[in-house]
Amino acid sequence: MSDNQNLLAEQRRALILDEVRRRGGVRVNELTRKLSVSDMTVRRDLDALARQGLVEKVHGGAVPVSEPSAHEPGFEAKSGLELSAKEDIAKAAAEMAAPGSAIALAGGTTAFALAQQLLEVPDLTVVTNSVRVADVFYTAQRAAASGGTGPRAGAATVVLTGGVRTPSDTLVGPVADAAIRSLHFDVLFLGVHGISVEAGLSTPNLAEAETNRHFVRSARRVVVVADHTKWGTVGLSSFATLDQVDVLVTDAGLPAGARAEFAELPPELVVAGEQPEDADI
């Protein structure tokens, strides 16, 4: 990491976070040299990362936050994180939804961003267990109706599974599982709490893990939408291996080491928001 004084704050913080996670901790003076920025700039970046709960500040630097594998942050806690990355991922993933297809859209803030992009894809049948995702489509339909135009031509048909609501506003449990088991999807778009070579896809919620297993089994094609911060995170329960994933759509913050690992793995890697000349690792 050198000659980075012109990086945007978000890019710089992604580099800092990668360094913290890779090395298990960094010192301020090391970051000032590597990033070619001032001590004050690094401290502001560390403050911002600490407020997001991504690092823990210690005297002279920062260390990774050790999160219990069963800890499940709520939707609001996650909704403000990695906004530009989620937008890039959503735009890239939306191109994989063919008009007239039947898709499944599981819960999470990246899926929520994707739902907004899918409003322009005609004649979709969308099955979701996310209250937030369903509301994106319902709100669009209400807005069209209030304008006196009635249902928008080609608007999505949305099926919301029942179930027990999680902190992420996702419906899980036997009712959701039964609904999903009876259906078949062209594509599943799946957000995750964590992704790693060893644990595959994981979540801190046991019931959500079971519901996600049914989603994966019912889909012809599985597309995981996950920003770079999910790489290396492991939740309490694994629900799919990486060889069950067809495509991983992530953002340009994915570290070079993770990209090298993915080159040896079955899923296709799509790095959203990255210029072709930046893709070399």
Side-chain angles (χ1 to χ4, degrees), residues 71-240:
H71 173 66
E72 182 178 7
F75 186 93
E76 298 299 341
K78 296 184 291 184
S79 62
L81 303 177
E82 304 296 334
L83 290 177
S84 64
K86 290 172 184 175
E87 183 177 357
D88 287 340
I89 291 167
K91 289 177 180 177
E95 297 179 3
M96 302 177 191
S101 61
I103 69 169
L105 197 51
T109 53
T110 308
F112 177 76
L114 174 56
Q116 296 171 71
Q117 298 294 325
L118 292 174
L119 290 173
E120 301 306 315
V121 181
D123 299 317
L124 288 178
T125 298
V126 180
V127 177
T128 184
N129 66 331
S130 168
V131 177
R132 302 281 187 143
V133 165
D135 192 55
V136 169
F137 293 99
Y138 294 153
T139 299
Q141 286 294 80
R142 286 196 300 269
S146 66
T149 59
R152 183 168 57 88
T157 299
V158 181
V159 178
L160 179 64
T161 69
V164 178
R165 199 165 179 161
T166 72
S168 296
D169 286 344
T170 301
L171 302 177
V172 299
V175 173
D177 298 348
I180 294 163
R181 275 199 306 269
S182 66
L183 300 170
H184 304 281
F185 315 113
D186 296 309
V187 185
L188 163 65
F189 293 100
L190 181 65
V192 296
H193 173 82
I195 179 169
S196 73
V197 174
E198 297 79 11
L201 312 181
S202 62
T203 172
N205 188 299
L206 292 173
E208 185 174 33
E210 183 61 19
T211 298
N212 283 345
R213 288 186 193 105
H214 290 294
F215 266 133
V216 171
R217 290 173 190 147
S218 296
R220 291 175 48 223
R221 183 172 171 83
V222 177
V223 177
V224 171
V225 288
D227 70 72
H228 68 278
T229 65
K230 306 300 177 64
W231 181 255
T233 297
V234 177
L236 178 64
S237 179
S238 295
F239 59 84

Side-chain angles (χ1 to χ4, degrees), residues 21-62:
R21 288 174 169 168
R22 185 174 62 83
R23 296 176 51 194
V26 293
R27 299 187 65 81
V28 170
N29 58 5
E30 295 172 333
L31 292 172
T32 58
R33 290 195 300 271
K34 293 186 181 211
L35 293 167
S36 301
V37 294
S38 69
D39 178 281
M40 186 63 68
T41 296
V42 169
R43 292 185 186 278
R44 281 199 299 266
D45 288 340
L46 292 178
D47 285 339
L49 292 170
R51 284 195 300 272
Q52 294 176 355
L54 299 174
V55 303
E56 179 181 349
K57 290 184 67 182
V58 295
H59 181 70

